[in-house]
Amino acid sequence: MIFDNIKNAERYLGISPNLDKALRYMMDTDLSSLEDGRHVIDGENVFVNVMHAATQAEKEEYEFHEKYYDIQIDLEGAEDVRFATEYQEITKPYKEEADIGFGTCRCEALCHLGTGKFVICEPTEPHLPGVAVGGREEQIRKAVIKVRR
């Protein structure tokens, strides 16, 4: 997990070529001006999904990916993202075609997103986005940049 302000994203260049493309795109693009939907940056290697979503006070299933990093960015509103280092139980096994699996975890770290911040969720890292800040549910607009490892 990497959690920071977008203005500091340059610090993380050099981790991988695809991550570099995603970070440069994030720094150079007004993501809030993009329409909802999928926007291709570099084919299946790097793309961004822009969406509206509802935060939830009661969320339990953490997700994980094996092929892609997730870069979570709130464009309007705010959410919490929880992280863990291991699963207590896998509730929905990994599905390769969707690159996602789910399970329950004990929260070990919490990041409060909001405008101007981002979090990078590494492949296989259990993370739970969309948690209502302080239990107060709201509609948010966000971008998730998917980055092939």
Side-chain angles (χ1 to χ4, degrees):
M1 170 212 14
I2 295 172
F3 174 59
D4 208 336
N5 288 301
I6 291 174
K7 67 182 179 181
N8 299 325
E10 192 171 314
R11 295 177 181 169
Y12 308 102
L13 294 173
I15 294 172
S16 80
N18 285 337
L19 196 53
D20 286 356
K21 289 175 195 171
L23 291 171
R24 289 188 191 287
Y25 184 84
M26 182 178 73
M27 291 184 291
D28 296 341
T29 305
D30 177 7
L31 297 172
S32 64
S33 71
L34 297 176
E35 292 183 18
D36 285 8
R38 180 179 168 142
H39 303 269
V40 175
I41 300 166
D42 181 21
E44 291 299 307
N45 291 321
V46 184
F47 57 92
V48 60
N49 293 315
V50 179
M51 68 200 78
H52 284 83
T55 62
Q56 298 174 20
E58 301 294 325
K59 284 191 82 170
E60 294 182 10
E61 282 190 315
Y62 285 65
E63 63 185 63
F64 66 95
H65 314 285
E66 292 187 5
K67 296 178 190 175
Y68 288 90
Y69 292 86
D70 272 359
I71 303 177
Q72 305 265 340
I73 308 155
D74 288 348
L75 305 174
E76 296 172 13
E79 68 185 301
D80 284 339
V81 181
R82 295 178 183 161
F83 288 88
T85 56
E86 62 185 352
Y87 281 95
Q88 295 172 320
E89 177 186 0
I90 299 294
T91 55
K92 294 178 187 143
Y94 176 76
K95 294 192 185 244
E96 185 173 353
E97 63 279 358
D99 188 41
I100 198 163
F102 295 91
T104 57
C105 299
R106 182 177 57 81
C107 180
E108 297 176 87
L110 179 118
C111 296
H112 177 72
L113 286 183
T115 306
K117 296 179 185 173
F118 72 98
V119 65
I120 300 175
C121 311
E122 297 185 40
T124 73
E125 181 173 46
H127 58 284
L128 180 62
V131 177
V133 177
R136 191 184 76 251
E137 296 179 346
E138 69 173 303
Q139 289 289 322
I140 62 171
R141 186 159 188 265
K142 67 185 292 181
V144 179
I145 303 176
K146 302 294 285 184
V147 183
R148 187 179 299 273
R149 61 155 80 206

